[in-house]
Amino acid sequence: MMDMRRLHCLFLGFIICEVLVLCVLFLYYKVASFWMFLDIVEKNDELKQKLNEKDLRFIKELIEGVDTADPQWPATGRSKNKAFLYEIVINKWNGIDVHRWDYFARDCHHLGIPNSFDHQRLLESARVCKVNGRNHICFRDKVADNVYDMFRTQYTLYSQAYQHKIGNISQKKIIDALLEARDKLPKISPIAVSKLQDDIERKIRWITGVSSHTHEDDENSTELNREMREFAKLTDHIFEEILYSSDVGLEGARKKLEDVVKRRLPKCVGETRLIKRDNLDHKKALNQTLQNMWNKAVDEWNKLHPAVFLDKKDFSTEVIQLDCTHSTGKNPIDNVYFYRKWNLTEAFKIKKYEVSSLLPEEFTEYVGRVYYTKNSVEEEMDAKECFKWWCLGKCVIELYDQREFKGTKCVIKGNCPSLDRCSITEVRSCKVIRGVWKLWKGRGYNGDDYLLKEGEYPDLKALSDCKSTASAPAPAPVPDPAWSLECLPFTIHLYEKVNFEGPIFETTVDHRSLDGCGINEVHSCKVLSGVWDLCEGPDYAEPRYQLQKGEYPNPGSWCASDPTAPALSVKCVTE
């Protein structure tokens, strides 16, 4: 119970910070932080005497962060020979900074999440070395694994706390409530960033004595000061202020916060890791793709379950990005330089063989979530079943105990070791809706077996005489009837460029051509399950190459006659 309270408090604090950015219209917290700092300096004569314009701009750049790898030195507060100073607070070069270390220690402590990252070890080994003509912070080669630990801790915090499904749902509700209440509460009224930035320049000129106050400056500053004084009063108390208000104008916002308190929130029916697509890295595009895929799955589910109806309008989707790195998708030590014990001044990039081999291949992943917005336990259970079926590859077969699709019908969506468990005793005809199925003569996947691809099989017995009218005839003599069934997974990732780069397309079924698949041709692929034929021509035209489970970085790796010739069609091998 205590852990949940801690989690709630952390989420609430995080949500309020998010609102300062989203609700108070374009008010960036870094700009507001520096404005508040200048406001303190402006009222302190001792500080005004000690800080010159260069110092103030240096502090501003420390708060906002500077890319120390930029060929054109972007900072004005300090020269490029002091580049390492900009890698302490906000490090835009490789992400190793005390800003991260601070919230790692704080949030892991309050959430009870183990923190395997030892910041003290990194700190003790840090020293300044020359890299490409600039001074950068480098580390001993022996602490390279600590860098991975740091970003692994970041991943853990985001996956378990910052992007927790309940936290995200609550966050959206609270943000919507505050946006609705902002016209009634001055402290969350919008403040334009441009106004703050203009006033920051005015304050710097006034503090450094470059210019004096004018009547117009005083009027503008007085109004902005009033707005910022109200903004500075914004704390977690705003939640209770709205929740317990009797103001009619806050009724809508109050109801949204009551939903959070009473847990009247959308239910997460499931989440799944999404395949990274180079042309869909933007989370908004990924979310739209996920929404379209889910809507299609719901339509298929409704067709398979006439007695059940799931309304697509009752669902929402969300895509979150989880990074185990600083730069999306890149190895976190790509921009980290190290030095060796016997040469403290020579910086170098560490080799792959010098770090642990137990590292992930990918450092960024996308997680898709589906939420059910209605309050119906029965429909929620149906939605979870639909999600599970969708994620497992949507293998579906309709079984009939009589020929020509007559008699008792049974829909199977997974492996069935014995028909005794179903409402049907034998199979004499069937329709393979999705996937490749292996049907066995005996229970428990014993006896003769045969494969069926997507299509209709009105008479299984006829297949043994090779007289079937099925759209995809079985490759072997068929026993009649079948007693157990198994769905065989077939999954392949197709890439448009060599070395698994460029747009990617995942499929579980045959494709006579790649039209509409998002790629034009296949130059590399990963066979995740099953056996596949890659064909150099459309419509499965020769030459074709049979691929087992594994990775094929280029056409030469699957022994193509021309090592540069791409594949233009693919099909499952079931013979």
Side-chain angles (χ1 to χ4, degrees):
M1 190 68 177
M2 181 58 69
D3 286 342
M4 287 304 297
R5 288 174 181 168
R6 286 176 178 172
L7 193 61
H8 173 74
C9 291
L10 184 65
F11 280 155
L12 190 57
F14 178 73
I15 290 165
I16 292 297
C17 290
E18 190 81 4
V19 170
L20 303 186
V21 179
L22 298 177
C23 178
V24 190
L25 285 184
F26 314 118
L27 177 58
Y28 297 107
Y29 72 93
K30 292 180 181 179
V31 178
S33 298
F34 186 61
W35 185 95
M36 291 179 177
F37 168 74
L38 290 180
D39 197 52
I40 294 171
V41 174
E42 199 173 22
K43 295 176 173 61
N44 189 307
D45 292 335
E46 185 177 354
L47 284 176
K48 279 197 292 186
Q49 292 176 2
K50 292 182 177 180
L51 296 174
N52 57 37
E53 181 179 357
K54 200 172 183 179
D55 294 331
L56 294 176
R57 297 200 181 278
F58 173 57
I59 293 171
K60 179 176 182 288
E61 290 164 349
L62 288 178
I63 294 174
E64 294 178 349
V66 168
D67 183 3
T68 55
D70 193 327
Q72 299 296 323
W73 182 243
T76 58
R78 293 293 184 269
S79 60
K80 63 181 179 181
N81 67 318
K82 298 290 185 180
F84 64 93
L85 294 177
Y86 292 100
E87 296 170 0
I88 298 173
V89 182
I90 302 290
N91 189 342
K92 286 192 172 184
W93 188 38
N94 56 37
I96 303 176
D97 53 51
V98 296
H99 171 252
R100 275 184 172 80
W101 299 357
D102 175 63
Y103 76 72
F104 285 178
R106 178 197 67 207
D107 297 344
C108 284
H109 171 75
H110 288 291
L111 288 169
I113 295 176
N115 183 3
S116 62
F117 168 60
D118 184 2
H119 67 271
Q120 197 64 39
R121 191 162 188 256
L122 266 187
L123 191 61
E124 289 173 356
S125 77
R127 67 181 293 116
V128 176
C129 299
K130 189 79 74 175
V131 178
N132 298 325
R134 289 185 186 171
N135 292 321
H136 291 280
I137 297 177
C138 303
F139 303 91
R140 264 294 302 277
D141 51 351
K142 67 179 182 179
V143 302
D145 287 339
N146 283 67
V147 175
Y148 286 111
D149 284 342
M150 186 189 92
F151 287 104
R152 179 66 191 182
T153 300
Q154 171 185 285
Y155 172 88
T156 300
L157 282 168
Y158 272 87
S159 61
Q160 295 185 18
Y162 306 147
Q163 295 287 356
H164 191 279
K165 53 184 178 291
I166 301 300
N168 283 7
I169 295 170
S170 301
Q171 172 181 308
K172 187 177 186 309
K173 281 276 188 181
I174 295 175
I175 288 176
D176 288 345
L178 292 174
L179 285 171
E180 192 167 335
R182 65 187 178 190
D183 292 334
K184 283 284 184 178
L185 300 173
K187 67 187 72 176
I188 56 175
S189 295
I191 303 174
V193 170
S194 58
K195 289 178 63 177
L196 278 178
Q197 291 173 333
D198 289 344
D199 200 54
I200 283 173
E201 292 302 318
R202 183 199 61 79
K203 284 180 179 293
I204 290 176
R205 291 195 302 270
W206 164 245
I207 291 170
T208 57
V210 174
S211 65
S212 57
H213 282 302
T214 65
H215 178 69
E216 184 180 357
D217 286 337
D218 288 338
E219 285 186 348
N220 294 335
S221 181
T222 300
E223 176 62 21
L224 184 59
N225 283 338
R226 185 193 63 77
E227 293 173 347
M228 288 298 291
R229 296 287 179 272
E230 290 295 325
F231 172 74
K233 297 175 185 176
L234 181 58
T235 66
D236 293 358
H237 180 66
I238 192 71
F239 188 96
E240 283 77 18
E241 184 176 339
I242 297 173
L243 183 64
Y244 301 123
S245 171
S246 58
D247 191 329
V248 177
L250 293 175
E251 184 177 359
R254 183 166 59 249
K255 286 182 178 179
K256 288 180 173 63
L257 297 187
E258 287 174 352
D259 288 342
V260 175
V261 173
K262 297 180 180 180
R263 305 282 284 192
R264 295 194 297 255
L265 301 170
K267 302 296 191 297
C268 182
V269 299
E271 66 177 35
T272 183
R273 263 56 183 175
L274 301 177
I275 297 169
K276 179 179 179 293
R277 291 171 170 83
D278 290 347
N279 58 333
L280 285 177
D281 275 350
H282 195 282
K283 285 200 296 182
K284 186 176 181 180
L286 278 172
N287 188 55
Q288 186 59 54
T289 301
L290 175 63
Q291 184 73 60
N292 294 340
M293 293 168 62
W294 175 250
N295 289 343
K296 185 178 179 181
V298 170
D299 288 337
E300 292 182 20
W301 178 268
N302 287 335
K303 290 178 183 177
L304 294 170
H305 302 78
V308 176
F309 178 73
L310 297 177
D311 193 338
K312 291 179 288 189
K313 296 179 181 178
D314 295 334
F315 297 93
S316 63
T317 59
E318 174 189 43
V319 172
I320 63 171
Q321 178 178 327
L322 298 176
D323 290 314
C324 194
T325 182
H326 173 60
S327 300
T328 299
K330 295 183 179 179
N331 192 314
I333 65 170
D334 280 354
N335 289 333
V336 181
Y337 280 81
F338 298 87
Y339 64 89
R340 301 194 190 278
K341 183 178 181 179
W342 57 83
N343 193 340
L344 303 181
T345 59
E346 182 180 344
F348 69 95
K349 283 192 175 183
I350 206 158
K351 305 296 183 187
K352 187 175 181 179
Y353 64 82
E354 296 180 277
V355 296
S356 172
S357 60
L358 303 177
L359 294 172
E361 294 182 1
E362 301 287 342
F363 295 94
T364 296
E365 67 178 6
Y366 297 90
V367 178
R369 291 171 177 162
V370 177
Y371 296 99
Y372 177 63
T373 57
K374 284 181 66 177
N375 188 23
S376 169
V377 176
E378 184 177 347
E379 288 187 13
E380 182 187 339
M381 294 302 297
D382 290 333
K384 288 182 177 180
E385 285 297 316
C386 177
F387 186 87
K388 182 180 178 182
W389 162 77
W390 176 55
C391 287
L392 290 177
K394 301 185 287 189
C395 289
V396 182
I397 186 170
E398 292 180 0
L399 308 177
Y400 300 84
D401 61 2
Q402 295 182 25
R403 295 176 175 85
E404 301 294 338
F405 317 119
K406 296 179 181 179
T408 304
K409 172 185 172 181
C410 179
V411 178
I412 304 293
K413 300 186 290 293
N415 295 342
C416 180
S418 175
L419 292 179
D420 296 333
R421 303 179 182 182
C422 306
S423 58
I424 190 172
T425 56
E426 60 183 20
V427 182
R428 296 190 179 275
S429 60
C430 67
K431 296 179 182 179
V432 178
I433 309 299
R434 182 64 60 85
V436 177
W437 289 81
K438 181 181 284 190
L439 275 64
W440 304 77
K441 182 176 181 179
R443 296 176 176 84
Y445 314 122
N446 292 312
D448 295 333
D449 64 80
Y450 54 99
L451 294 177
L452 298 180
K453 299 174 72 174
E454 293 181 11
E456 296 185 355
Y457 302 83
D459 187 352
L460 292 182
K461 181 64 176 177
L463 290 178
S464 61
D465 301 322
C466 299
K467 297 178 181 178
S468 172
T469 57
S471 59
V478 179
D480 183 22
W483 277 98
S484 55
L485 305 91
E486 182 183 13
C487 180
L488 301 182
F490 278 79
T491 307
I492 187 170
H493 291 173
L494 307 174
Y495 297 82
E496 192 169 72
K497 298 181 180 179
V498 297
N499 297 321
F500 317 116
E501 295 182 353
I504 176 178
F505 176 67
E506 179 191 46
T507 184
T508 58
V509 297
D510 301 347
H511 286 275
R512 291 184 173 274
S513 75
L514 298 176
D515 293 341
C517 297
I519 61 174
N520 297 315
E521 51 192 20
V522 180
H523 281 93
S524 58
C525 68
K526 295 180 182 180
V527 178
L528 303 186
S529 56
V531 180
W532 290 81
D533 273 345
L534 262 65
C535 310
E536 286 191 8
D539 296 320
Y540 316 127
E542 299 282 357
R544 67 176 63 176
Y545 309 96
Q546 192 169 105
L547 306 185
Q548 303 284 339
K549 182 177 180 180
E551 298 186 355
Y552 302 85
N554 52 62
S557 62
W558 60 71
C559 301
S561 54
D562 179 353
T564 63
L568 300 178
S569 58
V570 296
K571 67 179 300 185
C572 308
V573 177
T574 57
E575 300 181 5

